[in-house]
């Protein structure tokens, strides 16, 4: 709730039946105790955002706090709640790792063998019920998580049915081998994960140290690059077609808000050649492209090799200059010493992460205080125009409202500006895979977001048991 004095009040309503696994009701006092523990100056806990809470009120089944200004960062608060009746008066730092405090979730810790496995058992005090049947959740009596460090060993265990669920690396060979088990009762899901790869341009003076004939300041050159690369081919040959090309970075955060703005850019070598010539004429000399990324990730190396042929077909002089991770994510990014580059960001559900990602394009967010590695629109940028000025305003407006309708409109405008200016080119979201013996475990639904694959674990049930 936005207040007339410019502050923001957030109120949590706690489910009436919510209680801890020892039967103690979960109340607003648990939230208040959690807040006080986090803000304790003697405890080594990050107080970021929490320190912006200047007043709070706890009652039986409500907790309310007020922040100095509207912020979406409230979405990230109170992801863990401490049971006041069990923790108060204890040595918090000592007990944090080893004490089995009561749980308010569907399971409680039963056994933990370090480095081998962890077993949780049903919380009989769990408040949640199946909305259709009214039956108390969770369905399963226990779940054991096995820690297997070798990917091949874990896959062998799943194949031998010495495990019901696996979340392996989503490579073509692994996915194909798992899909071969579907006729035996396995179900395999491959979805786009939150990690999204993008091609990007450097707008600062450091690009000329990498490539003296760089023309990334010319829109025609950026358009030529967008038309020279074949994103469908990249996905097919690098990722085996496991996912579709990414037409917007927004998809990695809140797909329902995406305009798919980069769908307008399709591979067209003839058009790329024409725009390249236009860029060179405007620059007064032939332009070239130098591509820099990490040399240790196979998919980036493969993509770089594909670029050679793609740019050659468009008649654009091209060179790969790949680097070790430490150099690329160190000196290269901090100094802006690249021409055309590639790396990944990680998306997250909700508005908070989506709003935050726009900070990395903020023309007012110059390094070292800011995070605009691209130097698009910054004081040392080769491109400062109406688009960069408006984007800075949009970014500020995003950070001054919590109204979903306003945020949706601002996100759409920001996406449009970034796409029309070709600041970046989204390539793909890395695939995420999961497999389950569906003839034994039902209710599993893979979730590649930060919520994790156990997001609905209370709804999993045994499909192989004939229960009344």
């Amino acid at each position: 709730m936005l207040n007339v004095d410019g502050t923001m009040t957030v109120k949590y309503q706690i489910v009436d039946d919510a209680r801890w696994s020892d039967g103690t009701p979960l109340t607003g006092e648990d939230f208040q105790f959690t807040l006080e523990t986090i803000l304790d100056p003697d405890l080594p806990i990050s107080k970021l955002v929490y320190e912006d809470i200047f007043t709070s009120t706890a009652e039986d089944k409500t907790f309310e706090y007020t922040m100095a200004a509207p912020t979406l960062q409230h979405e990230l608060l109170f992801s863990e709640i401490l049971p006041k009746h069990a923790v108060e008066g204890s040595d918090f730092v000592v007990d944090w790792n080893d004490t089995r405090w009561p749980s308010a979730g569907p399971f409680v810790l039963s056994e933990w063998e370090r480095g081998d496995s962890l077993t949780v058992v049903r919380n009989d005090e769990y408040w949640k019920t199946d909305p259709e049947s009214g039956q108390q959740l969770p369905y399963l009596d226990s779940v054991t998580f096995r820690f297997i460090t070798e990917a091949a060993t874990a896959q062998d265990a799943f194949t031998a049915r010495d495990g019901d669920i696996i979340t392996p690396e989503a490579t073509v060979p692994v996915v194909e081998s798992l899909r071969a088990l579907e006729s035996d009762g396995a179900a395999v899901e491959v979805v786009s994960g939150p990690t999204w790869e993008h091609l990007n341009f450097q707008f600062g003076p450091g690009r000329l140290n990498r490539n003296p004939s760089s023309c990334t300041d010319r829109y025609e050159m950026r358009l030529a690059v967008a038309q020279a690369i074949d994103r469908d081919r990249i996905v097919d040959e690098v990722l085996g077609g496991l996912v579709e090309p990414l037409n917007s970075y927004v998809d990695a955060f809140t797909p329902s808000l995406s305009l798919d703005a980069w769908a307008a850019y399709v591979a067209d070598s003839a058009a790329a050649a024409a725009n390249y010539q236009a860029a060179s004429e405007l620059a007064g000399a032939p332009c070239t492209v130098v591509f820099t990324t990490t040399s240790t990730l196979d998919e980036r190396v493969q993509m770089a090799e594909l670029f050679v042929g793609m740019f050659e077909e468009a008649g654009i002089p091209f060179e790969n200059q790949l680097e070790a991770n430490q150099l690329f994510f160190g000196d290269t990014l901090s100094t802006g010493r690249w021409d055309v580059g590639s790396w990944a960001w990680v998306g997250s559900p909700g508005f908070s992460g989506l709003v935050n990602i726009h900070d990395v394009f903020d023309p007012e967010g110059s390094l070292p205080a800011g995070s605009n590695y691209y130097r698009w629109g910054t004081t040392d940028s080769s491109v400062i125009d109406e688009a960069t000025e408006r984007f800075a305003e949009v970014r500020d407006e995003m950070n001054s409202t919590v109204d979903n309708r306003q945020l949706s409109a601002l996100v759409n405008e920001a996406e449009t500006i970034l796409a029309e200016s070709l600041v970046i080119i989204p390539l793909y979201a890395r695939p995420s895979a999961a497999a389950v013996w569906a003839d034994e475990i039902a209710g599993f639904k893979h979730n590649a977001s930060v919520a994790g694959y156990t997001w609905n674990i209370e709804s999993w049930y045994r499909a192989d048991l004939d229960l009344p």
Side-chain angles (χ1 to χ4, degrees):
M1 178 178 65
L2 300 181
N3 303 314
V4 292
D5 61 357
T7 62
M8 180 182 74
T9 298
V10 180
K11 183 176 182 179
Y12 298 154
Q13 183 67 51
I14 304 168
V15 175
D16 288 340
D17 293 333
R19 52 191 177 273
W20 298 99
S21 53
D22 62 2
T24 303
L26 196 158
T27 71
E29 291 295 336
D30 294 308
F31 282 82
Q32 181 65 36
F33 176 75
T34 300
L35 175 61
E36 293 171 356
T37 301
I38 292 171
L39 295 179
D40 187 333
D42 296 328
L43 294 178
I45 304 174
S46 173
K47 304 174 192 330
L48 190 65
V49 184
Y50 290 97
E51 59 193 0
D52 296 330
I53 298 175
F54 66 85
T55 183
S56 60
T57 304
E59 296 183 7
D60 182 26
K61 287 294 181 178
T62 61
F63 177 65
E64 185 176 290
Y65 59 88
T66 300
M67 308 184 77
T71 174
L72 287 170
Q73 297 302 307
H74 76 275
E75 292 182 350
L76 306 178
L77 300 181
F78 299 102
S79 59
E80 296 180 8
I81 308 300
L82 300 174
K84 178 180 179 181
H85 68 285
V87 180
E88 190 173 31
S90 67
D91 189 326
F92 183 82
V93 175
V94 172
D95 292 349
W96 172 257
N97 287 325
D98 299 310
T99 301
R100 298 185 186 182
W101 290 324
S103 165
F107 295 94
V108 295
L109 180 64
S110 173
E111 186 177 1
W112 177 20
E113 295 186 20
R114 294 177 185 270
D116 181 69
S117 64
L118 182 148
T119 299
V120 294
V121 298
R122 189 176 194 274
N123 175 11
D124 291 329
E125 296 291 335
Y126 190 48
W127 60 272
K128 197 171 183 180
T129 59
D130 185 312
E132 294 184 4
S133 67
Q135 181 175 335
Q136 183 186 12
L137 299 174
Y139 288 120
L140 298 177
D141 291 327
S142 67
V143 179
T144 296
F145 299 88
R146 294 176 58 194
F147 310 135
I148 304 176
T149 57
E150 296 294 330
T153 303
Q155 189 173 339
D156 289 343
F158 178 80
T159 301
R161 288 187 179 260
D162 191 22
D164 297 305
I165 296 171
I166 185 175
T167 54
E169 184 180 6
T171 63
V172 172
V174 169
V175 171
E176 287 181 347
S177 64
L178 290 173
R179 283 177 173 167
L181 302 173
E182 290 183 331
S183 60
D184 296 325
V188 181
E189 291 186 72
V190 181
V191 299
S192 295
T195 303
W196 56 281
E197 193 84 15
H198 69 304
L199 202 67
N200 54 71
F201 304 95
Q202 175 57 235
F203 295 88
R207 66 193 170 88
L208 299 175
N209 294 327
R210 173 72 67 175
N211 179 16
S213 55
S214 167
C215 295
T216 54
D217 57 326
R218 305 282 181 183
Y219 170 78
E220 292 79 5
M221 189 66 212
R222 301 195 300 276
L223 180 57
V225 171
Q227 293 168 332
I229 64 171
D230 188 337
R231 293 183 295 146
D232 286 300
R233 185 179 169 194
I234 291 171
V235 168
D236 287 342
E237 297 195 23
V238 176
L239 301 176
L242 294 176
V243 293
E244 296 293 326
L246 192 64
N247 285 322
S248 173
Y249 63 95
V250 178
D251 285 337
F253 297 86
T254 308
S256 61
L257 294 180
S258 173
L259 299 177
D260 286 336
W262 280 263
Y265 302 105
V266 297
D268 186 334
S269 58
N275 280 302
Y276 166 70
Q277 291 299 325
S280 295
E281 289 174 8
L282 289 169
C287 301
T288 64
V289 171
V290 176
F291 176 63
T292 305
T293 188
T294 61
S295 60
T296 50
L297 187 64
D298 287 345
E299 62 189 43
R300 290 185 183 141
V301 174
Q302 294 175 46
M303 182 170 66
E305 293 171 349
L306 288 175
F307 282 163
V308 174
M310 293 177 184
F311 281 92
E312 182 178 1
E313 186 176 349
I316 301 175
F318 175 85
E319 180 184 353
N320 280 319
Q321 290 187 11
L322 275 56
E323 298 178 340
N325 283 22
Q326 186 174 6
L327 175 59
F328 181 77
F329 289 116
D331 182 68
T332 296
L333 255 64
S334 64
T335 61
R337 190 178 175 274
W338 82 90
D339 178 30
V340 178
S342 179
W343 68 81
W345 294 112
V346 180
S348 59
F351 273 113
S352 58
L354 183 53
V355 167
N356 287 343
I357 192 60
H358 292 94
D359 288 350
V360 306
F361 309 112
D362 181 15
E364 296 175 347
S366 58
L367 299 173
S371 53
N372 186 345
Y373 293 100
Y374 317 96
R375 290 167 173 80
W376 176 63
T378 58
T379 54
D380 61 349
S381 176
S382 57
V383 174
I384 299 176
D385 55 20
E386 291 182 0
T388 61
E389 293 175 1
R390 177 54 189 157
F391 190 91
E393 295 172 351
V394 169
R395 182 264 173 195
D396 291 342
E397 290 173 23
M398 283 184 185
N399 283 274
S400 63
T401 182
V402 291
D403 183 278
N404 287 354
R405 287 177 296 180
Q406 292 180 23
L407 285 169
S408 297
L410 290 168
V411 167
N412 288 165
E413 185 176 359
E415 178 185 354
T416 300
I417 292 173
L418 292 175
E420 291 183 348
S421 299
L422 275 175
V423 180
I424 62 169
I425 304 173
L427 296 172
Y428 55 81
R430 293 180 189 166
S432 177
V436 56
W437 285 111
D439 57 352
E440 295 183 5
I441 300 296
F444 176 85
K445 182 66 177 175
H446 186 36
N447 187 336
S449 76
V450 292
Y453 68 94
T454 60
W455 68 281
N456 70 334
I457 192 172
E458 71 264 24
S459 297
W460 300 356
Y461 62 94
R462 291 287 298 271
D464 57 338
L465 299 181
D466 186 16
L467 300 177

